[in-house]
Amino acid sequence: MKYVIFLGDGMADEPIAALGGRTPLDCADTPAMDEMAAKGELGMVQNVPAGMAPGSDVANLSVMGYDPAAHYSGRSPLEALSLGLAMEPGDVIFRCNLVTLTEEEPYAEKTILDHSSGEISTADADVLMDAVRAAFNDDTFQFYTGTSYRQIMIWHGGRVCPLEPPHDHPLSVIGPWLPQEPVLRSFMERSFDLLNDHPLNRKRAAEGKRKANSLWYWGAGTKPELENFQAKTGLKGAMISAVDLLKGIAVGAGMKVCQVEGANGSIDTNYEGKAQAAIDALLKEGCDFAYVHVEGPDEMAHQGRLEDKVRSIEYFDKRLIGPVKRALEAAGEDFRILVLPDHPNPLRYRTHTGDPVPYVLYDSTRQQKKTARYTEAEAAATGNFEPMGHRLMERFLKA
């Protein structure tokens, strides 16, 4: 038996008037997911435990079968694992986005225009992070380039403090959301002076691109401890994702991390490459389990791009799920597929909520026959509900 989880990050939403009261998932043309909904089990699952912030970190740990209450130590340490960074007791790790702020006002009066600096390329981000490292690295603070706008700082002997994700406050004046920690606030203010007139940012502006003109701290945490996935489940697992968070969870869990050229965490990611990586892992490389993560729906929701959120869900279905399912069928394999989001990202808010999300669990050896589509409403109408997300993995593997 082969097992595949397809995770459409932030895919769940609310009914939207512009879509005739339907959600993006309901509007999207999703033949592969709808076929599995008609032949498998539909339901709802609560991936974000009560009292925890609805981040992809917490929610994906749940989907992976790890209770966040026991295993979560912050988002950034998981990303640091993906980058191969050494973490010592007493280190605090921070995500520091490269963001776009307005330019004229005093720092606290600036407005955040874009949490991703126009989805800056990793190559451009590295040039700017070289300038950051030259100015700020010392024995206490070290900065590292991640993927696209997602960078990392390690503060040796640092302090964990409350921080606001920049994607929670689009087009807001930043003063109320700045860190209370003076060291972090100083870095942010100084980074604007360093980056706003950097030659690369002047070039980006001339080309009509967003400047990446400030650091923004969030997601602080300490070194995580995750039980080895194979020891926990008896399955050799592979992770296919563009983002450091998911790769870091995989590294911490001892899973194979598949690198896919052109996978970039947005709507134009390399879906075909991800599908082939999953097929190869399962059929050629001896893996029993693949976790295939797509960031596009979440990123489109953060940016308020309704049509592109619908399109990203369609790409997820037709260019990724469908090909992997057909390859497993052609190989004569018995398999189970679980499709779900980690959390909702309603376009009304342009950020995550902690509400339950729809899942479909499909077993190639136990097909039902009913009329159903994979939508939030139809999943909720079944009455199937798993209140503790990390328990769904156990059911998936033993269904």
Side-chain angles (χ1 to χ4, degrees), residues 32-45:
M33 291 190 283
D34 291 345
E35 179 195 0
M36 290 190 289
K39 296 179 179 179
E41 175 190 317
L42 272 174
M44 300 291 289
V45 58

Side-chain angles (χ1 to χ4, degrees), residues 27-98:
C27 257
D29 182 24
T30 54
M33 291 190 283
D34 291 345
E35 179 195 0
M36 290 190 289
K39 296 179 179 179
E41 175 190 317
L42 272 174
M44 300 291 289
V45 58
Q46 180 69 51
N47 288 326
V48 180
M52 300 191 79
S56 293
D57 43 14
V58 167
N60 276 279
L61 281 172
S62 281
V63 178
M64 286 287 295
Y66 295 95
D67 181 358
H71 295 95
Y72 182 66
S73 65
R75 178 191 185 104
S76 300
L78 295 169
E79 298 183 352
L81 284 175
S82 171
L83 300 177
L85 304 182
M87 291 172 278
E88 302 297 332
D91 287 351
V92 178
I93 300 87
F94 298 82
R95 161 79 82 81
C96 43
N97 280 32
L98 285 170

Side-chain angles (χ1 to χ4, degrees), residues 144-179:
Y144 300 89
T145 304
T147 300
S148 183
Y149 59 88
R150 310 167 182 92
Q151 321 308 322
I152 291 291
M153 185 189 82
I154 295 181
W155 180 0
H156 300 297
R159 296 181 287 277
V160 176
C161 53
L163 297 166
E164 289 287 327
H167 53 259
D168 280 2
H169 306 290
L171 305 180
S172 296
V173 174
I174 66 174
W177 315 116
L178 292 175

Side-chain angles (χ1 to χ4, degrees), residues 44-50 62 342 354-357 385-390:
M44 300 291 289
V45 58
Q46 180 69 51
N47 288 326
V48 180
S62 281
D342 45 356
D355 297 328
V357 295
F385 178 58
E386 174 50 69
M388 300 180 71
H390 67 278

Side-chain angles (χ1 to χ4, degrees), residues 283-302:
L283 299 181
K284 296 181 180 179
E285 298 166 5
C287 292
D288 312 292
F289 170 89
Y291 194 98
V292 190
H293 171 267
V294 169
E295 181 80 355
D298 192 59
E299 196 61 44
M300 296 306 97
H302 282 313

Side-chain angles (χ1 to χ4, degrees), residues 116-138:
S116 71
S117 297
E119 298 185 71
I120 187 172
S121 70
T122 301
D124 276 7
D126 196 37
V127 171
L128 298 176
M129 290 305 294
D130 278 342
V132 168
R133 285 186 281 268
F136 299 151
N137 268 19
D138 59 22

Side-chain angles (χ1 to χ4, degrees), residues 9 12 24 38 40 104 115 123 136 153 155 161 163 172 210 220 226 287 303 351 359 363 371 378 386 394:
D9 203 299
E104 302 303 323
H115 74 281
F136 299 151
M153 185 189 82
W155 180 0
C161 53
L163 297 166
S172 296
R210 296 280 202 189
L226 294 178
C287 292
Q303 297 181 28
T351 195
Y359 72 84
D363 187 324
T371 301
E378 294 204 29
E386 174 50 69
E394 183 177 353

